[in-house]
């Protein structure tokens, strides 16, 4: 499928979902670990005291290795909770017991068990997406939760993806927030260094 001339975000979402679905569970596990390993050596990650991660859903590239290593190094790890107005609230979660089933089938931190953190406390945010491109643009699932959060976020933004989720270019609107880095199983894309 050639998408370069198609401005329709839904076409890119469909293609990205098909590419992800084409990976085996073993590939997803291995590629996720490799993508995490590529982020681990960034100076910006090594200097972070509090990071934002996410719980993967529907075959997304999983930040599990990154979360485990960060916690082992004494880094605080926050996770998003979907709240009213398609917004994200951030909570520190330390174990599996700190999560509950949440919106869209995503495990979310339980606010009765976890401490809330302000966005300005996050140094480094690991962000999911369906598709990314060579300019570090990000295409999410369409609800805008992350774009709303990222619009006011001042820390480092790093997308995490399988290499099959990288397109030469994807449509980006004014409100879409790009990444500083995108880590895949094949390396790191740095914004403005194509």
């Amino acid at each position: 499928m050639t998408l370069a001339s198609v401005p329709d975000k839904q076409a890119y979402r469909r293609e990205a979902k098909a590419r992800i679905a084409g990976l085996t569970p073993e590939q997803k596990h291995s590629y996720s670990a490799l993508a995490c390993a590529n982020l681990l050596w960034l100076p910006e990650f090594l200097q972070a005291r509090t990071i934002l991660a996410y719980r993967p859903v529907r075959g997304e590239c999983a930040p599990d290795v990154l979360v485990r290593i960060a916690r082992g190094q004494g880094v605080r790890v926050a996770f998003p909770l979907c709240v009213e107005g398609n917004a994200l609230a951030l909570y520190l979660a330390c174990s599996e017991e700190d999560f509950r089933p949440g919106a869209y089938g995503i495990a979310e931190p339980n606010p009765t068990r976890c401490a809330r953190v302000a966005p300005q406390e996050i140094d480094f945010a690991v962000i999911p997406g369906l598709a990314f491109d060579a300019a570090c643009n990000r295409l999410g699932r369409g609800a805008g939760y992350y774009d709303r959060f990222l619009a006011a976020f001042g820390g480092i933004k790093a997308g995490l993806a399988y290499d099959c989720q990288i397109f030469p270019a994807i449509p980006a609107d004014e409100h879409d927030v790009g990444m500083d880095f995108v880590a895949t199983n094949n390396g790191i894309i740095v914004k403005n260094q194509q």
Side-chain angles (χ1 to χ4, degrees):
M1 176 181 215
T2 302
L3 298 174
S5 62
V6 180
D8 180 16
K9 288 184 176 183
Q10 290 304 331
Y12 284 88
R13 287 186 177 106
R14 284 190 299 275
E15 177 66 14
K17 287 176 184 177
R19 291 179 182 188
I20 293 168
L23 298 174
T24 67
E26 295 78 16
Q27 286 173 314
K28 290 175 186 172
H29 179 76
S30 171
Y31 293 174
S32 291
L34 289 168
C36 287
N38 285 323
L39 276 184
L40 285 172
W41 298 106
L42 287 175
E44 294 85 351
F45 179 80
L46 293 170
Q47 295 165 7
R49 299 301 353 133
T50 305
I51 67 168
L52 174 65
Y54 63 91
R55 297 299 299 263
V57 64
R58 295 186 279 285
E60 286 177 331
C61 192
D64 302 351
V65 169
L66 196 74
V67 168
R68 187 176 65 250
I69 290 172
R71 284 181 177 151
Q73 295 174 345
V75 175
R76 300 185 323 157
V77 183
F79 292 86
L81 172 73
C82 295
V83 295
E84 195 172 321
N86 286 24
L88 297 176
L90 311 179
Y91 289 87
L92 298 174
C94 299
S95 70
E96 276 305 309
E97 291 75 37
D98 290 341
F99 291 92
R100 67 179 188 189
Y104 307 102
I106 303 168
E108 294 181 331
N110 183 341
T112 64
R113 294 182 56 103
C114 303
R116 188 166 181 172
V117 294
Q120 57 269 26
E121 293 179 66
I122 305 295
D123 304 306
F124 192 100
V126 183
I127 307 296
L130 277 176
F132 297 91
D133 68 16
C136 290
N137 290 309
R138 172 188 170 272
L139 182 63
R141 294 186 180 274
Y145 283 92
Y146 278 101
D147 285 319
R148 284 179 189 80
F149 164 74
L150 293 170
F153 178 65
I156 300 296
K157 303 172 291 292
L160 192 67
Y162 309 118
D163 62 349
C164 67
Q165 293 174 260
I166 306 300
F167 292 81
I170 57 175
D173 297 324
E174 249 177 53
H175 65 274
D176 293 326
V177 179
M179 303 289 100
D180 298 305
F181 304 97
V182 178
T184 75
N185 45 294
N186 281 333
I188 295 219
I189 301 167
V190 180
K191 185 173 187 169
N192 298 326
Q193 290 192 3
Q194 302 169 25

